[in-house]
C-alpha cells in the first residue's frame, strides 16, 4: 500500500502523456528547442527561472505542500518506510528540471552535459533523496495567525528553493564524477561507458565545468549568501580531497586520520553542507542546521566506508569479489589500514605499491586474515548511529509527515550500512 502521495503526481502524468512537453530535455516545449540555438548565453538563467515559475504556477495540485497521508495507517513512528518511494514523484520532477537546466546551444556540449541526467543513467539519486527527506523532516507548522493562502504560498516557495538545492547538489556531484573519471582514466560509470571513454577527456572536463557553472547560476538565484558560501566550500573540499588522495606521501597513506579527512572532503562534505543549506532555507536555527549537517556528515562517512568495503567484496562477503579498483590504483582505504594494525608486515607491501598484481594478492591475504573488513563496517555503523542521533536531536514534532520523513532518514542509515552496490 502506498501511503504518501506527492500532490502533483496526477498533474505531471497528464502533461507527460499528452502535450509532448517532456519530449526534449525535460519540460522545455519542442518549439523552444530552436530558440536555444541562437540565443545569448545570458538567456540560460532566465530559461531555468522561467521554467521554475511555469512549473510552479501550473501546479495547482500543490495547494498543500505536505504529503497526503492515508488516515487509516498505523502511526508513522511505527512503520517502516521506503525512503526512495516517499519522494519518488519529486525525484522525477527534479530529474526533468535537471535535464532542462543543462541544455546548451552547442550540441556536443549539450549531449555531454546531459549524459548522466538521462533516464536510466541517473544513478541511485541518493543525495536528492536525502535532501528532500531532510526538507520534510524540518518542516515547521505555520502560526495559526497566518492566512492559509499566505502559508501555502510560503511553503510552496520554500519547497521549490529546497528542491533547487537538491538539483545544485546533483549537478556538483555529477561534475565531480566527470572529472574523477578523467583523472582515473575510468571506462565505465553507472553501468555504462564513462563520458571520458565515450566522448573523450577534453569534453568530459568541459562538461563538468559547464555543470558547475549551471549549478552556480542556480545557486545565485537563491540569493542567500550563506548557502552560496556553503556550496562553494563544498567544491573546494571536493578538489582538496581529490588532491589529498593523489598526492599523499608515504606517511599520509598510512594514516587513518588523513584517510578520514580525505573521505570527509571527497564524499561527506557535499551531503552534509547541502543538508545544512536545506535547514537554512527552512529558516531553522543554527542548532537545528548543525543537526542537519551532522546527519549528512555521518551518513556520508558511513556511505564511503561501506563503499570502501564493497571495493573489496562486491555484492558478496568474499574478499576479492569487488572491483579492487582502489587498491589497484594504489589508494589505501580503511580495511587495509585496520588490517595493518594487526599485521604491520602490510606496511612494506603498501610501500612497494600495487602496480605488481602479486602485491595486491599479498595485501588481500593479510586483509582476509585480519578484522579489517569487520572493523570498517563497525566504524560505518558508528557513524550511522551518530547520524540517527542527529535526527533524534531535532526538536519534537507531532506532524505525521515530519515524523515519517525522520523515520525515512533513519531507515536510510540502515540502507547505507546494508547496501551491496
Ligand atoms: C569538478 C566539483 C569538481 C570536483 C573535482 C575529481 C574531483 C575534484 C573530486 C572527486 C569527488 C568524487 C568523485 C568523490 C567520490 C564520491 C562518491 C562516493 C561517488 C559515488 O557516489 P554514488 O555511489 O554515485 O552515490 P551515483 O552514481 O549513484 O550517483
Amino acid at each position: 500500500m502506498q501511503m504518501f502521495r506527492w500532490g502533483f503526481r496526477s498533474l505531471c502524468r497528464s502533461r507527460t502523456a499528452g502535450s509532448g512537453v517532456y519530449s526534449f530535455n525535460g519540460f522545455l516545449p519542442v518549439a523552444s528547442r530552436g530558440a536555444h540555438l541562437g540565443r545569448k548565453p545570458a538567456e540560460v538563467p532566465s530559461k531555468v527561472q522561467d521554467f521554475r515559475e511555469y512549473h510552479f504556477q501550473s501546479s495547482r495540485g500543490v495547494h498543500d505542500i505536505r504529503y497526503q497521508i492515508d488516515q487509516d495507517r498505523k502511526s508513522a513512528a511505527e512503520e517502516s518506510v521506503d525512503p526512495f518511494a516517499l519522494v519518488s514523484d519529486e525525484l522525477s520532477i527534479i530529474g526533468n528540471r535537471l535535464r532542462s537546466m543543462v541544455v546548451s546551444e552547442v550540441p556536443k556540449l549539450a549531449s555531454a552535459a546531459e549524459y548522466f541526467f538521462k533516464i536510466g543513467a541517473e544513478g541511485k539519486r541518493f543525495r536528492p533523496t536525502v535532501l528532500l527527506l531532510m526538507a520534510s523532516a524540518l518542516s515547521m507548522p505555520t502560526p495559526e495567525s497566518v492566512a492559509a493562502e499566505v502559508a501555502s504560498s510560503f511553503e510552496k516557495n520554500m519547497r521549490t528553493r529546497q528542491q533547487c538545492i537538491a538539483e545544485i547538489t546533483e549537478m556538483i556531484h555529477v561534475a565531480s564524477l566527470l572529472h574523477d573519471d578523467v583523472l582515473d582514466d575510468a571506462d565505465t560509470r553507472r553501468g555504462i561507458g564513462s563520458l571520458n571513454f565515450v566522448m573523450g577527456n577534453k569534453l568530459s572536463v568541459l562538461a563538468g565545468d559547464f555543470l558547475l557553472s549551471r549549478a552556480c547560476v542556480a545557486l545565485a538565484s537563491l540569493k542567500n549568501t550563506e548557502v552560496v558560501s556553503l556550496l562553494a566550500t563544498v567544491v573546494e573540499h571536493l578538489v582538496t580531497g581529490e588532491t589529498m588522495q593523489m598526492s599523499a606521501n608515504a606517511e599520509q597513506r598510512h594514516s587513518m586520520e588523513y584517510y578520514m579527512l580525505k573521505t570527509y572532503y571527497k564524499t561527506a562534505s557535499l551531503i552534509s553542507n547541502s543538508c545544512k543549506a536545506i535547514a537554512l532555507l527552512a529558516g531553522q536555527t543554527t542548532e537545528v542546521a548543525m543537526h542537519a549537517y551532522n546527519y549528512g556528515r555521518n551518513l556520508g562517512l558511513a556511505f564511503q566506508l561501506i563503499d570502501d568495503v564493497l571495493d573489496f567484496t562486491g555484492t558478496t562477503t568474499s574478499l576479492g569479489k569487488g572491483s579492487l579498483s582502489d587498491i589497484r590504483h594504489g589508494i589505501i582505504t580503511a580495511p587495509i589500514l585496520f588490517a595493518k594494525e594487526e599485521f604491520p608486515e602490510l606496511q612494506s607491501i603498501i610501500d612497494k605499491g600495487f602496480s605488481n598484481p602479486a602485491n595486491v594478492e599479498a595485501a588481500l591475504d593479510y586483509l582476509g586474515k585480519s578484522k579489517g573488513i569487520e572493523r570498517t563496517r563497525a566504524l560505518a555503523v558508528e557513524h550511522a548511529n551518530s547520524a540517527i542521533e542527529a535526527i533524534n536531536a531535532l526538536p519534537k514534532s507531532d506532524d505525521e509527515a515530519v515524523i515519517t520523513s525522520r523515520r525515512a532518514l533513519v531507515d536510510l542509515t540502515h540502507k547505507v550500512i546494508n547496501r551491496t552496490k
Side-chain angles (χ1 to χ4, degrees):
M1 179 173 70
Q2 191 180 352
M3 260 116 14
F4 300 96
R5 273 179 215 96
W6 175 246
F8 31 130
R9 174 197 290 251
S10 55
L11 193 72
C12 293
R13 286 246 167 90
S14 64
R15 284 189 182 284
T16 318
S19 60
V21 178
Y22 293 138
S23 59
F24 174 74
N25 283 325
F27 290 97
L28 282 179
V30 175
S32 51
R33 286 188 213 168
H36 284 284
L37 296 169
R39 66 153 196 263
K40 297 189 278 302
E43 284 178 71
V44 173
S46 66
K47 277 258 177 285
V48 173
Q49 195 60 34
D50 288 349
F51 162 74
R52 201 176 285 288
E53 275 156 22
Y54 157 72
H55 187 258
F56 191 70
Q57 286 159 10
S58 62
S59 302
R60 60 181 164 71
V62 201
H63 56 274
D64 185 349
I65 206 76
R66 292 160 191 223
Y67 301 109
Q68 293 166 15
I69 297 168
D70 185 328
Q71 298 299 315
D72 300 334
R73 64 189 182 77
K74 284 191 276 176
S75 113
E78 293 169 60
E79 271 197 41
S80 172
V81 286
D82 176 353
F84 295 94
L86 268 183
V87 293
S88 63
D89 289 349
E90 242 181 321
L91 283 178
S92 38
I93 289 164
I94 284 176
N96 285 327
R97 273 205 207 125
L98 280 168
R99 284 183 279 280
S100 74
M101 288 165 91
V102 301
V103 288
S104 160
E105 67 263 42
V106 181
K108 262 255 169 341
L109 187 54
S111 54
E114 72 164 1
Y115 190 72
F116 283 119
F117 295 114
K118 283 195 186 142
I119 291 169
E122 296 165 288
K124 297 184 281 299
R125 298 186 288 182
F126 175 72
R127 292 158 191 80
T129 300
V130 170
L131 297 173
L132 293 173
L133 289 172
M134 184 59 80
S136 303
L138 300 181
S139 164
M140 290 183 291
T142 332
E144 281 183 7
S145 55
V146 178
E149 265 179 37
V150 175
S152 160
S153 147
F154 178 78
E155 282 184 14
K156 273 191 287 187
N157 185 37
M158 185 195 293
R159 189 75 183 195
T160 307
R161 287 162 68 75
Q162 290 171 320
Q163 287 172 348
C164 191
I165 293 292
E167 291 149 19
I168 292 163
T169 300
E170 203 58 2
M171 281 194 275
I172 295 176
H173 170 56
V174 173
S176 78
L177 297 181
L178 296 183
H179 285 193
D180 199 46
D181 287 345
V182 170
L183 292 170
D184 291 352
D185 204 14
D187 47 22
T188 58
R189 166 73 67 184
R190 294 181 172 174
I192 56 175
S194 56
L195 189 65
N196 54 308
F197 185 76
V198 175
M199 297 183 93
N201 282 348
K202 289 181 182 175
L203 207 60
S204 281
V205 171
L206 292 169
D209 293 346
F210 179 74
L211 293 182
L212 278 184
S213 70
R214 285 288 155 91
C216 288
V217 171
L219 197 49
S221 77
L222 294 174
K223 299 191 188 342
N224 183 318
T225 46
E226 197 173 355
V227 168
V228 171
S229 167
L230 282 178
L231 286 157
T233 304
V234 164
V235 177
E236 179 193 329
H237 285 171
L238 286 165
V239 175
T240 303
E242 182 67 27
T243 314
M244 280 175 79
Q245 183 174 289
M246 70 164 73
S247 65
N249 62 31
E251 193 188 335
Q252 290 162 339
R253 272 155 56 86
H254 289 289
S255 158
M256 190 57 130
E257 287 70 33
Y258 190 86
Y259 160 84
M260 288 304 284
L261 185 62
K262 181 269 304 175
T263 299
Y264 169 73
Y265 285 149
K266 269 196 77 173
T267 305
S269 174
L270 177 59
I271 190 63
S272 54
N273 284 298
S274 299
C275 280
K276 185 172 176 185
I278 291 282
L280 294 179
L281 290 183
Q284 290 285 0
T285 60
T286 312
E287 194 188 346
V288 170
M290 276 320 285
H291 294 317
Y293 170 88
N294 281 331
Y295 174 82
R297 179 177 189 278
N298 285 292
L299 187 75
L301 292 174
F303 182 94
Q304 188 58 54
L305 286 162
I306 296 298
D307 224 54
D308 293 344
V309 166
L310 293 175
D311 197 62
F312 288 105
T313 64
T315 56
T316 68
T317 51
S318 326
L319 272 185
K321 295 287 181 191
S323 66
L324 301 178
S325 149
D326 292 333
I327 195 159
R328 284 191 179 131
H329 281 95
I331 299 166
I332 306 304
T333 58
I336 295 285
L337 291 173
F338 281 130
K340 196 187 58 135
E341 285 179 16
E342 281 175 71
F343 296 98
E345 307 91 292
L346 251 173
Q347 171 119 9
S348 63
I349 298 174
I350 296 172
D351 289 341
K352 278 186 222 149
F354 294 100
S355 46
N356 179 353
N359 288 346
V360 175
E361 283 306 316
L364 283 182
D365 277 350
Y366 280 114
L367 181 58
K369 287 189 277 186
S370 78
K371 292 195 162 47
I373 295 287
E374 223 175 303
R375 287 182 67 191
T376 306
R377 284 193 158 278
L379 184 59
V381 169
E382 267 180 45
H383 283 291
N385 286 337
S386 301
I388 295 172
E389 272 170 34
I391 296 300
N392 292 338
L394 292 172
K396 292 276 163 288
S397 170
D398 297 330
D399 185 314
E400 292 251 24
V402 170
I403 296 169
T404 302
S405 305
R406 290 181 186 180
R407 177 68 196 266
L409 288 170
V410 169
D411 278 10
L412 261 184
T413 67
H414 303 149
K415 285 198 165 21
V416 160
I417 296 297
N418 296 319
R419 78 194 174 98
T420 53
K421 58 180 177 155

